[in-house]
Structure formats: C-alpha cells, structure tokens
Amino acid sequence: MTWSQMQPLLAEAGQETLIMVGWSTLIAVAGGLPLGILLVLTDKGGLLQNVLVNRVIGQIVNIARSLPFIILMVALMSFTRWITGTTIGSSAAIVPLAIGGIPFFARLVETAVREVDHGLVEAVQAMGGNTWTVVRKVLVPEALPSLIASTTTTVIALIGYSAMAGTVGGGGLGDLAVRYGYQRFDTGLMWVTVAVLAVAISAIQLAGDFAARALHRRGAGSSAAPALRLLRPGKPAPADVGKVA
C-alpha cells in the first residue's frame, strides 16, 4: 500500500483514537479524582476516617484494576450495548475505556495526595477550615504537579487500551493495524501505525512532563502558600508614642 493510500486510513483511525481516548480520559479524571481523594480521607488518620468504607472502595478499585482490559471489555459488552446501542466502533469502546481508566487514575490520585505535607492540613484545620476547605485549598493545589503527571500516565495507558479495543472491532489505530497489518498481511501499514502510536505517546509524555515541571517550579518555595494565606497576621497595631517604660 502506498503512502497516499495510507494517509486517509491513518487520518480516520487517528481521529477515532483521539475521540475514544479524549472522552474516556475526561470520564476517568472526573470519576477517579474524587475517588482517589476519598480513599485518602477515609483512610486511618484521615479527615473522614472510616475503615469500612475505605476497605470497600479499595477492594472495588483493586478488583477493577486487576482485570486485563480485553477481559473487562468483553465482560462489559451487555452494559456497553445498553449505553450505546452497539458493541462495535469507537463510541462503544469509550465505555470500557472509561470504566477501566477510573480505578487506574484513582490509585494515582491517592498516591499523589498522600505526598502533600500534613502540616499544611493541620494549619488549615487550626484556623477552622473544614474538610472541603482542606481539599480545595491544600490537597488539590499542592498535589497538582503530580496530578498532571498522573493524567499523562492515564492518557498513555488509555491509548494502549484503545489499541487493544481494535482487536474486537473497537475502531481506531489498533483496529487499522489488525485489519490491514495482520488480516491482509500489510506489514508496511502495520509498522507505520506503530510509528504513529509511538510518536503520539512520546509527544503526550513530553507535554505532560513539561506541564508538571512548570507547575512544580511555580510552586517551589511557596508550598505553604495556602496555609500562609489563612494564617496571614492581622495589621499590627501602631507603636505607642511617648510610652514611658
């Protein structure tokens, strides 16, 4: 197959992969972020300590993460058909991609939030801050560079998952590689598809690393900023003039 013949196929498959990964990433972040924070808050010594809830959520996350994606996708076929009306195509692949991405991202969020200095949490609590204030003013802002890195890792993992979805008609670059590279023995197109995936993953990783480093540098030396804003002293009283010792 010539390059001119490959181009429209690669463009269409790339667009399908972009749609699948984009939507599934948004859903994974929206679901995994609060879930990961909840795992930290309900853990022993957390602000909302509840060992039972923590263990139940933790076990659900562990079970979901332990399933190979190809098995998860097959197991969710009935649910996917109920949501999208089909089990084939990029729109159908979004459902298992998102469900597989939520627990993956949740564990990364949990790790990132645990790295936040507990002294900042105690400082905000000492000033009367509630749990929501601690999450909004301390946990999320302080963990933001790590959260960006976690999102990058999740996007790359979902690209790999989307390629696997192509083996069962999920569409995208993986489906293109299977249909033409494997079934039609077009090794040239298969290796071009592999190269496109490699370039895309490298670009995403570089962009994510740059964003995380930029946020880390901006926050360097001011990690206590949220607490300092709450603990900012009031205006000092004017010195007494002519006060006799």
Side-chain angles (χ1 to χ4, degrees), residues 44 63 192 195:
K44 186 176 181 180
I63 292 172
V192 169

Short mmCIF file of all heavy atoms in Angstrom, two decimals, residues 44 63 192 195:
data_model
loop_
_atom_site.label_atom_id
_atom_site.label_comp_id
_atom_site.label_asym_id
_atom_site.label_seq_id
_atom_site.Cartn_x
_atom_site.Cartn_y
_atom_site.Cartn_z
N LYS A 44 -7.11 5.43 57.63
CA LYS A 44 -6.80 5.59 59.04
C LYS A 44 -6.03 6.90 59.26
O LYS A 44 -5.01 7.14 58.63
CB LYS A 44 -5.97 4.42 59.54
CG LYS A 44 -5.72 4.43 61.03
CD LYS A 44 -4.97 3.18 61.47
CE LYS A 44 -4.73 3.18 62.98
NZ LYS A 44 -4.00 1.96 63.42
N ILE A 63 -10.00 -4.77 42.43
CA ILE A 63 -10.57 -5.78 41.54
C ILE A 63 -10.68 -5.24 40.11
O ILE A 63 -10.34 -5.93 39.14
CB ILE A 63 -11.95 -6.23 42.05
CG1 ILE A 63 -11.80 -7.01 43.37
CG2 ILE A 63 -12.67 -7.08 41.01
CD1 ILE A 63 -13.11 -7.32 44.05
N VAL A 192 3.81 1.46 10.13
CA VAL A 192 3.50 2.90 10.13
C VAL A 192 2.55 3.24 11.27
O VAL A 192 2.71 4.27 11.95
CB VAL A 192 2.89 3.32 8.77
CG1 VAL A 192 2.34 4.74 8.85
CG2 VAL A 192 3.94 3.24 7.66
N ALA A 195 4.47 3.29 14.42
CA ALA A 195 5.26 4.52 14.50
C ALA A 195 4.40 5.72 14.90
O ALA A 195 4.81 6.55 15.71
CB ALA A 195 5.94 4.78 13.16
#
